[in-house]
Amino acid sequence: MANVAIVGGGIAGVSAAAALRSGGFTGEITLVDAGEFPYDRPPLSKDFLSGRKSLSDIALQPDDWYDRNKVRLLSGRTATALRPGTGQVELSDGTAVTADRVVLATGGHALRPPIPGADGARVHLLRTARDADALRARLTPGARALVVGAGLIGAEVASTARDLGCEVVMVDPVSPPLAAAVGADLARWLHEQHAIRGIRTEATTVRSLRESGPIVHAEFGDGTGEHAFDAVLLGVGMAPDTALARAAGLDVDRGILVDDAQVTSNPAVLAVGDSARVRRGGEVLARTEHWEAAQRDGGRAAAAILGTAPPADGASWFWTDRHGVHVEVVGYLGVAESVVVRGEFGPEPFSVFGLVGDRVVAAAAVGDSGAVRAARRLIDRGIAVDRERLTDPSVDLKKLVRG
Ligand SMILES: Cc1cc2nc3c(=O)[nH]c(=O)nc-3n(C[C@H](O)[C@H](O)[C@H](O)COP(=O)(O)OP(=O)(O)OC[C@H]3O[C@@H](n4cnc5c(N)ncnc54)[C@H](O)[C@@H]3O)c2cc1C
């Protein structure tokens, strides 16, 4: 294999480059990214938004990593067209990269819902470091911040805004949010933490936003009229960036469709991370939109290019941090037949486990990474568990993994 072009320098693209090199790939690797340099996205709603970390603190790799690994990094420019027939990737600066294989790692963009006034200057989205800079500038002490959407990113921004001294109102018609991901009881407990930390949560929608000077007037759907804010964050989800793939004639269905090896409908093009979506048999699976899933995709794409065995896969995992609480989730609690609690909702650590029969299928833990690590092994190995031992905090979960 002579050379590979990777479009997108998020965790998926950078992981693909790293896995190619660690797998012994000796050809050229070109990594094209629109941003300043490849940086990590999860801190954008946490320590980067709060100002505790700078952009260089969240770089995915040290500056010299690219030279040491012979990865030609072309940042600050975008791929504007992909011509799979010739292997050409055209760039915004008028140049082109020619590659035998192209990996699309274009991620996605934050959604702007069709609310009148949602495009105002004080109405923010959060996907890039520049977005976070613009939002931070508004989150001054005493500022009134409206967070629309109480999912993962909305909740984290609300927490950070509160830490920065803002008055925060968070609006979401679904209450509690995240029930499918973390189970109804933990979702309720997590949502309650907002009120405890002085954030007002409203189970309603936002009908319209209207800017007048430095104030944004938000009309809520609950009939309470207009409410005044200094800044608004729209945290209502993301959409995968598929335009390049679509224009190149690849199969796309709210994500660039790939097989289990990350190969698209064109065998010379692979897709990874938030922009990709697996099609297995006739079925199109849900996208995961989490950091580790994107990282794993990069490893699988590299294996496909190298012709080696794909890295071991397993239950999906993600984390979220808000109000000083670290939450980790493995598997999908939405498929559990029953949910049991280990410990008590309150001071951490505690966790919930989702079961189908006597097998663990998912778990969510507050302040207990060890419980999630153990749950992951229980899930991946399909080990049957005794519920009493599982829910007894005095029983070391590693013992259950050993059987
Ligand atoms: C604010 C925030 C907080 C998050 N927190 C968590 C968390 O706590 N836990 C968790 O598990 N996940 C979290 N996530 C999700 C996680 O960050 C994503 O799943 C992950 O970043 C996806 O990686 P990716 O490489 O697929 O895409 P991205 O990170 O979006 O990277 C895609 C890159 O491609 C570039 N690009 C796009 N199009 C082009 C083009 N045409 N030419 C050149 N470059 C292009 C973009 O500029 C971007 O740099 C968070 C996401 C956000 C936005």
Side-chain angles (χ1 to χ4, degrees), residues 22 30 34 46 69 85 101 110 192 202 252 275 297 305 318 320 345 384:
S22 62
T30 304
K46 311 175 183 77
N69 287 279
R101 295 280 183 97
E192 283 164 9
E202 298 290 347
V252 169
S275 63
D297 281 4
I305 292 169
F318 71 90
T320 177
F345 285 89

Side-chain angles (χ1 to χ4, degrees), residues 164-234:
L164 291 170
C166 300
E167 283 175 35
V168 184
V169 176
M170 186 160 49
V171 169
D172 195 318
V174 178
S175 186
L178 299 177
V182 301
D185 291 336
L186 181 53
R188 207 167 301 116
W189 185 87
L190 286 170
H191 202 52
E192 283 164 9
Q193 301 313 300
H194 295 306
I196 292 168
R197 300 295 185 337
I199 292 170
R200 207 175 99 211
T201 55
E202 298 290 347
T204 184
T205 52
V206 171
R207 278 213 188 120
S208 67
L209 297 163
R210 180 176 59 82
E211 284 192 38
S212 141
I215 307 293
V216 189
H217 299 277
E219 188 198 352
F220 290 180
D222 58 5
T224 53
E226 285 197 336
H227 304 257
F229 296 96
D230 301 296
V232 178
L233 180 272
L234 301 173

Side-chain angles (χ1 to χ4, degrees), residues 8 10-12 33-34 41-42 46 78-79 106-107 127 273-274 290-291 319:
I11 184 65
D33 187 63
R41 235 155 271 277
K46 311 175 183 77
T78 54
T106 49
R127 184 74 194 181
D274 281 4
H290 296 309
W291 189 93
W319 80 97

Side-chain angles (χ1 to χ4, degrees), residues 4-358:
V4 172
I6 301 171
V7 180
I11 184 65
V14 170
S15 299
L20 278 167
R21 283 293 179 241
S22 62
F25 183 77
T26 53
E28 285 173 21
I29 301 175
T30 304
L31 178 62
V32 185
D33 187 63
E36 295 84 336
F37 55 81
Y39 60 80
D40 212 5
R41 235 155 271 277
L44 298 184
S45 47
K46 311 175 183 77
D47 284 353
F48 184 77
L49 183 61
S50 72
R52 274 193 292 268
K53 283 193 175 162
S54 68
L55 190 56
S56 55
D57 290 336
I58 64 169
L60 279 169
Q61 298 288 0
D63 282 353
D64 63 350
W65 182 88
Y66 300 92
D67 282 347
R68 281 193 281 111
N69 287 279
K70 297 195 170 52
V71 174
R72 187 164 68 113
L73 176 62
L74 304 178
S75 20
R77 61 205 98 179
T78 54
T80 50
L82 166 65
R83 316 232 175 264
T86 58
Q88 275 221 329
V89 181
E90 293 174 11
L91 306 186
S92 51
D93 62 3
T95 62
V97 179
T98 306
D100 303 286
R101 295 280 183 97
V102 177
V103 180
L104 294 175
T106 49
H109 56 274
L111 286 172
R112 202 179 282 278
I115 301 172
D119 53 354
R122 287 176 174 264
V123 180
H124 296 259
L125 298 171
L126 182 55
R127 184 74 194 181
T128 67
R130 291 291 151 250
D131 294 339
D133 287 338
L135 180 59
R136 189 191 312 104
R138 302 271 190 227
L139 300 180
T140 49
R144 295 160 299 176
L146 170 65
V147 176
V148 182
L152 293 169
I153 290 176
E156 291 185 352
V157 169
S159 163
T160 303
R162 192 74 191 122
D163 285 350
L164 291 170
C166 300
E167 283 175 35
V168 184
V169 176
M170 186 160 49
V171 169
D172 195 318
V174 178
S175 186
L178 299 177
V182 301
D185 291 336
L186 181 53
R188 207 167 301 116
W189 185 87
L190 286 170
H191 202 52
E192 283 164 9
Q193 301 313 300
H194 295 306
I196 292 168
R197 300 295 185 337
I199 292 170
R200 207 175 99 211
T201 55
E202 298 290 347
T204 184
T205 52
V206 171
R207 278 213 188 120
S208 67
L209 297 163
R210 180 176 59 82
E211 284 192 38
S212 141
I215 307 293
V216 189
H217 299 277
E219 188 198 352
F220 290 180
D222 58 5
T224 53
E226 285 197 336
H227 304 257
F229 296 96
D230 301 296
V232 178
L233 180 272
L234 301 173
V236 299
M238 56 81 69
D241 278 336
T242 57
L244 266 184
R246 194 183 287 280
L250 306 180
D251 290 354
V252 169
D253 178 2
R254 284 167 291 157
I256 307 166
L257 295 180
V258 295
D259 64 13
D260 284 316
Q262 308 299 142
V263 179
T264 69
S265 53
N266 185 313
V269 184
L270 297 89
V272 290
D274 281 4
S275 63
R277 192 171 179 197
V278 174
R279 174 168 55 185
R280 188 178 295 150
E283 203 191 341
V284 179
L285 310 185
R287 283 179 299 103
T288 37
E289 295 177 15
H290 296 309
W291 189 93
E292 192 200 51
Q295 186 194 40
R296 284 181 167 188
D297 281 4
R300 261 195 305 276
I305 292 169
L306 290 161
T308 56
D313 207 356
S316 69
W317 170 86
F318 71 90
W319 80 97
T320 177
D321 295 298
R322 74 271 287 276
H323 306 307
V325 169
H326 178 66
V327 184
E328 291 185 36
V329 182
V330 63
Y332 181 58
L333 271 143
V335 299
E337 285 171 359
S338 58
V339 176
V340 295
V341 183
R342 180 180 163 92
E344 276 176 33
F345 285 89
E348 48 191 271
F350 62 89
S351 43
V352 296
F353 289 80
L355 296 143
V356 170
D358 57 5

